[in-house]
Amino acid sequence: MNDSGRPYCNFLKKDLTALRQRKTCLISENKRTLHTPLPEAQSNRLENEDDKQASNGTSCWTERSITPPGAQPPNTILVLLVLGLSFATRFYKLAEPPHICWDETHFGKMGSYYINRTFFFDVHPPLGKILIGLAGYMTGYDGTFPFVKPGDKYGHHNYWGMRGFCAALGSSLPVFAYFIVLELSHSNSAALIAAALLIFDTGSITISQYILLDPILMFFIMGAVLSMVKFNQQKPFCASWWLWLLLTGVNLSGAIGVKFVGLFVILLVGLNTAGDLWALLGDLQLSLVDVAKHLLARVTGLILLPLLLYVTVFAVHFAVLNKSGPGDGFFSSAFQSRLIGNNLHNASMPKYLAYGSTITVKNLRIAGGYLHSHWHLYPEGVGAKQQQVTAYLHKDYNNLWLVHKPDDGQGETKGFLDVWTLSEAPMTRKHFQVTGYGINGSGDSNDLWRLEVCGGRRGDPVKVLRSKVRLLHVATGCVLYSSGKTLPKWGWEQVEVTCSPYLKETPNSQWNIEDHINPKLPNISLSVLKPHFLEILLESHIVMIRGNSGLKPKDSEINSRPWHWPINYQGLRFSGVNETEYRVYLLGNPVTWWLNLACLGLYAVMVAVASIALQRDVHLKHCWVLMRGGGQLVLGWLLHYAPFYTMGRILYYHHYFPAMLFSSMLTGLTLDTLLHSADLFLSPPRADWLLRLGQVALLFSVLYSFYIFHPLSYGMRGPLAHEPGSAMAGLKWMDSWEF
């Protein structure tokens, strides 16, 4: 407070635009925030200094200003150099090896499904696979290669188009990194360092050269970040401002349209937008109407547009994949009725269940299967030695069941669906065993079940395809349940069915009637029961989310840990195992990755020093670039890395690569700031020499490490690294590396 009792911030004059935008009591960038009253003489002196700065046009730049002083424009030669090296490193030996590598067996096959219009299921949204299929179709691939397993030769099939598409998107990542760091640091040298780290990273090269979703995902992530930082530099509501806003929205929809982890970059942009709107709300030059315009523009560009594009991707997905295929069984019976070639497509059957009907009953969990019984008995020592009841994933005659009144009829295998209350289920403890019981149709009280419509009232009719029902055992009150556990060989590796005493409604305990035969009832066309677009959109997301949560590591499968990733602890075999095979190993350039890790710690130290200096009213060059630009990159790294610690699904090394992009950009900004700070301790000529020497040493280290480790990306033959005569001898710096 000053002597008049007013807040000291009131000394800011109307003509100090830069200071007004900051919404703080900052005198200039190199002066600290005034938290305590100053003597009136000092106040007047500071005010006069700021008047002079404003009149001379030398006031400090802020987050919301268009171009800061000293900003460097893109260097055309450097941009062309980055572009050329990126494409050269990604397209070199692109056709090698000429066989399926790692997950190409999945995503290449899915691209083929789009070309053949065959429905399939995947845990990821469809955009990436649509683009892979489109790239293959546009380059002459006919969709006939089966993609059975890694190592299968492509032969005469045209696979380079799909690899080339992924490589082209992967080649754009260093270019995006250059422009992002340039916008945040306004330094061509910082931008070049960040780009070089990605250009010569063996891991980034490898993951870009194959038919995978990762380069497509990272393209949209980096596109969203670049669009965001460019948008922040534009004059509000001009054409370029709208362009970058809409491009941000397009890239956000692309990122989440490829994988759900695209949600992390949406969160990054959302936090940035929230901070921006909060600053605008505090700008007293703007009316509330102006603030509302900014809010509506961002809602339109960053919420409504991405949502529209995301839904459009699914509309294309459903329209193209209109033929029955391997994905049918993951979805409800009503969903399957849409697919040409499925037995439910254009079928007719009675609408409501009745006594005397022959039916199939499908579980609603992912790959829950059909309620099934066969002649085989449970073996000795596994509960009652009666007919097995399982869930079977395929359509089969033994899936048929008859619905009878309690005192009438017999089953297809002359046994009733029965609960053996004296025995636990084979694999799920505290659940009862379910069997087929009865001789020539004679059963007991344990054969009685009551069908209840989920969400309905008692006595509601059961509608085929659409009604979700539970089968409650009358005698015990337990519910029929598909556990999802695979039975041993005596159960033909089918899915266990139990009777659960826990009555909570879950997909495991929910079923629907699929096939329905009853000659006494009139048939209706199932076309009238087909779900509409929003229903199948919601169902597909439920199935994908459940599928993701169900990706647990198998007993023999190694589950990568998030703490392994930044230290480059262990890579992934993309191709080959022994010395006679063509081997490709996904592993980041050790120098780059360990430098990134070191710079995360270095950045924290530098920010702490800069913060203390600012608090002590000491001006440090580049401190705001370090704290603001670097802060956005640190936030991006955290958002793309930390959530994996909370995930229960199986994790792989390649999940770290989006976070690695942010880490590499932060390294470029941090090291450039450190090198340019040499003039704090040395005279200008010596500081310049140290700067150039540091830049040359850094680039040489990255280039040389790429030279010695490049066989990891471009292929190895002959002895393994630990064997005599290996070309990679001495390069296995960690025992966990497997090349």
Side-chain angles (χ1 to χ4, degrees), residues 44-87:
N44 293 334
R45 177 175 58 80
L46 293 175
E47 183 176 355
N48 291 334
E49 288 178 4
D50 289 313
D51 285 340
K52 184 180 297 183
Q53 284 189 2
S55 64
N56 293 335
T58 59
S59 59
C60 66
W61 66 280
T62 69
E63 297 149 304
R64 294 179 53 204
S65 40
I66 306 302
T67 305
Q72 298 177 2
N75 185 303
T76 303
I77 295 177
L78 289 182
V79 172
L80 292 176
L81 179 64
V82 169
L83 186 65
L85 289 173
S86 297
F87 273 82

Side-chain angles (χ1 to χ4, degrees), residues 481-530:
Y481 187 91
S482 173
S483 69
K485 299 175 182 177
T486 302
L487 293 169
K489 290 189 180 297
W490 56 256
W492 302 91
E493 297 182 340
Q494 296 175 11
V495 179
E496 180 192 41
V497 169
T498 71
C499 198
S500 170
Y502 308 107
L503 302 184
K504 181 180 178 180
E505 289 188 4
T506 67
N508 300 66
S509 62
Q510 293 175 329
W511 308 76
N512 73 270
I513 308 303
E514 183 167 296
D515 298 290
H516 183 204
I517 304 169
N518 193 324
K520 297 180 180 180
L521 298 176
N523 290 339
I524 65 165
S525 173
L526 293 187
S527 60
V528 302
L529 300 178
K530 286 182 180 178

Side-chain angles (χ1 to χ4, degrees), residues 438-497:
I439 301 175
N440 295 322
S442 61
D444 58 22
S445 60
N446 283 329
D447 304 333
L448 300 181
W449 299 81
R450 184 174 70 248
L451 268 69
E452 289 187 354
V453 178
C454 298
R457 293 173 298 182
R458 186 167 183 174
D460 282 352
V462 177
K463 184 185 295 185
V464 297
L465 300 188
R466 305 307 298 269
S467 293
K468 297 179 181 179
V469 301
R470 295 197 306 168
L471 281 79
L472 279 82
H473 189 241
V474 174
T476 64
C478 61
V479 293
L480 195 66
Y481 187 91
S482 173
S483 69
K485 299 175 182 177
T486 302
L487 293 169
K489 290 189 180 297
W490 56 256
W492 302 91
E493 297 182 340
Q494 296 175 11
V495 179
E496 180 192 41
V497 169

Side-chain angles (χ1 to χ4, degrees), residues 327-618:
D328 294 18
F330 291 91
F331 290 81
S332 68
S333 304
F335 187 102
Q336 294 180 43
S337 68
R338 304 170 47 257
L339 301 173
I340 299 172
N342 190 284
N343 69 306
L344 298 176
H345 182 69
N346 289 336
S348 60
M349 61 183 63
K351 185 176 182 179
Y352 294 107
L353 184 64
Y355 288 120
S357 295
T358 301
I359 62 173
T360 59
V361 186
K362 187 176 186 298
N363 187 252
L364 296 189
R365 63 175 292 277
I366 294 178
Y370 297 91
L371 187 63
H372 177 92
S373 182
H374 41 239
W375 287 102
H376 303 281
L377 306 181
Y378 286 102
E380 290 286 346
V382 183
K385 194 173 182 180
Q386 298 176 3
Q387 286 180 9
Q388 298 175 15
V389 173
T390 64
Y392 189 46
L393 299 181
H394 306 284
K395 298 181 185 294
D396 186 86
Y397 182 77
N398 285 329
N399 298 341
L400 295 175
W401 297 83
L402 297 177
V403 182
H404 289 296
K405 292 182 179 180
D407 57 351
D408 183 30
Q410 63 182 31
E412 286 296 297
T413 55
K414 299 183 180 180
F416 288 96
L417 185 66
D418 184 270
V419 172
W420 190 252
T421 57
L422 300 179
S423 300
E424 285 188 332
M427 305 187 71
T428 305
R429 301 309 174 197
K430 298 184 180 180
H431 285 211
F432 297 120
Q433 182 185 25
V434 176
T435 69
Y437 173 73
I439 301 175
N440 295 322
S442 61
D444 58 22
S445 60
N446 283 329
D447 304 333
L448 300 181
W449 299 81
R450 184 174 70 248
L451 268 69
E452 289 187 354
V453 178
C454 298
R457 293 173 298 182
R458 186 167 183 174
D460 282 352
V462 177
K463 184 185 295 185
V464 297
L465 300 188
R466 305 307 298 269
S467 293
K468 297 179 181 179
V469 301
R470 295 197 306 168
L471 281 79
L472 279 82
H473 189 241
V474 174
T476 64
C478 61
V479 293
L480 195 66
Y481 187 91
S482 173
S483 69
K485 299 175 182 177
T486 302
L487 293 169
K489 290 189 180 297
W490 56 256
W492 302 91
E493 297 182 340
Q494 296 175 11
V495 179
E496 180 192 41
V497 169
T498 71
C499 198
S500 170
Y502 308 107
L503 302 184
K504 181 180 178 180
E505 289 188 4
T506 67
N508 300 66
S509 62
Q510 293 175 329
W511 308 76
N512 73 270
I513 308 303
E514 183 167 296
D515 298 290
H516 183 204
I517 304 169
N518 193 324
K520 297 180 180 180
L521 298 176
N523 290 339
I524 65 165
S525 173
L526 293 187
S527 60
V528 302
L529 300 178
K530 286 182 180 178
H532 54 69
F533 173 73
L534 291 181
E535 285 183 291
I536 61 176
L537 180 66
L538 176 61
E539 179 177 346
S540 65
H541 280 78
I542 293 173
V543 172
M544 285 189 293
I545 292 170
R546 290 176 183 167
N548 264 301
S549 63
L551 293 176
K552 306 296 184 183
K554 300 176 182 177
D555 294 338
S556 58
E557 195 168 11
I558 298 176
N559 186 22
S560 182
R561 304 291 184 183
W563 67 265
H564 291 173
W565 305 338
I567 64 175
N568 218 21
Y569 179 77
Q570 188 175 41
L572 273 172
R573 288 194 182 102
F574 264 43
S575 173
V577 176
N578 56 54
E579 63 182 30
T580 63
E581 296 176 322
Y582 188 97
R583 303 189 304 279
V584 175
Y585 191 70
L586 176 67
L587 186 74
N589 183 328
V591 171
T592 297
W593 284 55
W594 293 340
L595 184 63
N596 286 347
L597 183 61
C599 282
L600 286 169
L602 177 62
Y603 174 81
V605 173
M606 292 175 65
V607 167
V609 172
S611 300
I612 294 171
L614 286 173
Q615 191 68 13
R616 296 299 301 167
D617 212 9
V618 177

Side-chain angles (χ1 to χ4, degrees), residues 117-169:
R117 308 193 67 177
T118 303
F119 188 77
F120 68 94
F121 165 70
D122 185 43
V123 296
H124 306 299
L127 179 59
K129 284 92 66 178
I130 291 175
L131 294 176
I132 288 173
L134 180 62
Y137 179 77
M138 296 294 290
T139 54
Y141 172 59
D142 59 6
T144 58
F145 186 70
F147 285 97
V148 176
K149 64 182 185 302
D152 288 353
K153 299 288 186 181
Y154 283 115
H156 67 280
H157 294 276
N158 187 345
Y159 63 96
W160 64 265
M162 292 182 285
R163 280 191 182 177
F165 169 73
C166 294
L169 297 189

